[in-house]
Amino acid sequence: MKNLVIIPTYNEIENIEAIIKAVFNLPVWFDVLIVDDGSPDGTAQKVKELQHQFPSQLHLEERKGKQGLGTAYIHGFKWALAKGFQYIYEMDADFSHNPADLVKLYKACSEEGNDVAIGSRYINGVNVVNWPIGRVLMSYGAGIYVRFLTGMPIMDPTGGFICYSREVLETIPLDQIRFVGYAFQIEMKFNAYLFKFKIKEVPIIFTDRTLGQSKMSTKIFQEAVFGVVMMKIWSLFKNFKR
C-alpha cells in the first residue's frame, strides 16, 4: 500500500470514470480514493459501479453535503494514514492535472528523496492552458503575494497537484488546519515549509477543465488573500520542531 491518489468530487459525473481509468493505466501502481460530498449527479454511484471492476484499487468515502475542498483532503489524509499508505497525492477530477504527471511526483519523492512534490504551473514560466488572462494574472499574482508574506520560496503555492510523504502528514497537525479553499493549499505547504521538510516543484502544464463546472468563487479567493496574513501571524506563536 504505497501510493494513494485522493480526488475530492462534487458533481463530476462527466469526468469521474475517465480520470479513474487514466490513473489505473499508468505504469506505476496507484490506488484512488474518491471523497464525494453528496453529489446529486450520481458521481458516487458511478464510483460504486467501477469498484466492481477495480475492487482492491478503488476506494470511496461519501460525506453529506458540500463541506469544502480542505476538509475533503483532511478526511482523505487521515484515511490514507490509517490504511498505511506511504505517498499521498492531491489531484483534481477534471483533467486540469494530467494523470501522467503523477509518475513525476512519485519519482520526485520516492527516488529523489523529497518529502513534498508540487506539480507547479509556474516553476518554468507560465504553463496554463485555456485560462482567461485575468485569472492567470490573479493566480500568478497570488504566488508573489504569498511568497512576500510567508517567505516560502515556492512559485506555485496555491497549486493543488501534490505528493506528500507519509511523514509530512503525520507531522502536520491536520486538525489545526483552518482553511478549506485555496488557502488550504497554501496552509499545508506553509506548514511543510516551517517543519523544514524537503520540497520540490515539478513542472507541469495545467489545462482548464473542458467538462463540468469550476468550483472557483470570489469567496474562495478572498479566503486565500486574508488567510495568508492570519497564517503568518499564527506561525509566530507555534513550535515547528520535529
Side-chain angles (χ1 to χ4, degrees), residues 162-173:
I162 308 163
C163 173
Y164 290 106
S165 72
R166 179 182 184 86
E167 185 182 359
V168 175
L169 298 183
E170 288 177 329
T171 301
I172 292 174

Side-chain angles (χ1 to χ4, degrees), residues 6-201:
I6 302 171
I7 304 177
T9 56
Y10 184 78
N11 286 350
E12 292 290 354
I13 192 66
E14 295 161 302
N15 294 302
I16 195 62
E17 180 173 2
I19 197 75
I20 288 170
K21 289 184 175 179
V23 174
F24 290 162
N25 283 331
L26 295 173
V28 175
W29 181 280
F30 294 91
D31 279 39
V32 170
L33 170 65
I34 304 299
V35 181
D36 186 74
D37 275 5
S39 298
D41 70 349
T43 298
Q45 183 57 41
K46 173 54 71 174
V47 175
K48 290 176 183 176
E49 294 171 9
L50 291 168
Q51 283 182 308
H52 295 293
Q53 187 175 350
F54 307 103
S56 65
Q57 201 173 0
L58 178 58
H59 316 279
L60 172 66
E61 288 285 287
E62 293 184 85
R63 308 194 305 167
K64 292 183 179 180
K66 292 182 70 174
Q67 300 179 43
L69 181 74
T71 66
Y73 276 126
I74 296 296
H75 184 101
F77 292 159
K78 291 180 177 180
W79 189 94
L81 293 176
K83 299 294 184 181
F85 286 94
Q86 178 60 36
Y87 298 109
I88 299 96
Y89 304 76
E90 296 184 12
M91 190 175 78
D92 291 347
D94 60 8
F95 284 94
S96 55
H97 304 140
N98 184 344
D101 289 332
L102 285 167
V103 178
K104 294 182 186 178
L105 300 183
Y106 169 70
K107 290 182 177 179
C109 287
S110 69
E111 297 180 7
E112 299 174 22
N114 297 290
D115 302 300
V116 181
I118 301 167
S120 178
R121 298 165 290 185
Y122 305 123
I123 192 65
N124 287 341
V126 177
N127 292 298
V128 177
V129 178
N130 291 341
W131 262 9
I133 188 63
R135 189 165 178 187
V136 174
L137 292 173
M138 183 174 69
S139 175
Y140 191 80
I144 297 172
Y145 171 73
V146 171
R147 287 192 297 277
F148 174 75
L149 281 183
T150 65
M152 283 194 299
I154 295 175
M155 291 299 296
D156 194 358
T158 63
F161 192 26
I162 308 163
C163 173
Y164 290 106
S165 72
R166 179 182 184 86
E167 185 182 359
V168 175
L169 298 183
E170 288 177 329
T171 301
I172 292 174
L174 298 176
D175 287 332
Q176 296 178 26
I177 298 296
R178 293 171 169 83
F179 297 104
V180 298
Y182 282 109
F184 164 80
Q185 303 293 4
I186 301 167
E187 189 175 7
M188 286 293 297
K189 295 181 185 75
F190 193 33
N191 272 270
Y193 169 73
L194 292 172
F195 277 112
K196 293 183 169 53
F197 283 107
K198 190 176 179 182
I199 302 172
K200 179 176 181 178
E201 289 189 84

